Amino acid sequence: NNTVKGAEVWSQTTQIPIAKIGIDYTYYITRKTNPDNTTDIITHRIDYSVPGDTKVKAGSILYGDFKVIKNITAFRDYFRPPPVCEASSVRSCDAEKVRQWESKYFSRSQPPQYATDKGSCTGPHEFCCPAPMDDVNNCPAGARTSDCDAKKSCCCA
């Protein structure tokens, strides 16, 4: 029995447009109030199924020994690429090719369009947007401007 005692139950259906199917998810969560009046939300289990598709077996994702992350900065650093991956010798994708991929595969998510080759982020419809992981070194090369760098941001359009 996978019952989570005292858990809130949340359900959602996510439509997958390419496959023209829907996936049903049921989340089992609990809330814990901390001494500082913040609340931790802990996911214990997620059940999933694809109604109408007999090829996909329903299942559960169980979370055991879950630890709430309090130091978000240290947690983000855990996923930071090693320095060798940030070296200038690492190749990057052609900006136009990236735009094509974004348009073709991620058009619904509308990723930020980065400004290019500007000294400052003051062109029409340009604005400073948060840098990935609050580090301007993670901005695409063409999205680095001195005014946005000062705000730990990228120049977006």
Side-chain angles (χ1 to χ4, degrees):
N1 184 350
N2 291 330
T3 302
V4 179
K5 299 216 184 289
E8 295 177 36
V9 179
W10 293 78
S11 297
Q12 81 174 53
T13 298
T14 301
Q15 297 297 319
I16 309 297
I18 296 169
K20 296 183 177 146
I21 61 170
I23 303 172
D24 290 340
Y25 295 99
T26 303
Y27 302 87
Y28 298 86
I29 67 166
T30 55
R31 298 172 192 258
K32 176 185 170 209
T33 303
N34 300 307
D36 63 356
N37 281 335
T38 59
T39 301
D40 294 330
I41 298 176
I42 300 172
T43 303
H44 297 276
R45 186 176 92 229
I46 302 173
D47 294 338
Y48 58 89
S49 64
V50 180
D53 190 337
T54 57
K55 294 180 275 183
V56 180
K57 183 179 176 185
S60 294
I61 302 168
L62 300 175
Y63 296 87
D65 196 29
F66 181 84
K67 303 279 189 286
V68 175
I69 304 297
K70 296 293 184 177
N71 185 339
I72 300 299
T73 302
F75 182 69
R76 286 180 179 160
D77 286 346
Y78 181 79
F79 296 97
R80 184 175 298 280
V84 70
C85 294
E86 296 176 350
S88 61
S89 61
V90 175
R91 295 181 60 174
S92 61
C93 296
D94 173 67
E96 181 54 34
K97 198 66 176 164
V98 171
R99 280 196 255 299
Q100 290 173 7
W101 291 328
E102 292 284 359
S103 175
K104 182 175 182 181
Y105 298 108
F106 303 104
S107 61
R108 290 176 176 244
S109 63
Q110 296 188 6
Q113 298 298 312
Y114 295 106
T116 56
D117 302 323
K118 303 285 184 189
S120 65
C121 191
T122 56
H125 310 291
E126 290 181 347
F127 60 96
C128 294
C129 59
M133 297 173 57
D134 296 321
D135 184 348
V136 296
N137 293 307
N138 294 324
C139 295
R144 294 285 304 275
T145 59
S146 58
D147 54 334
C148 289
D149 277 7
K151 299 175 185 176
K152 295 185 178 180
S153 298
C154 305
C155 184
C156 299

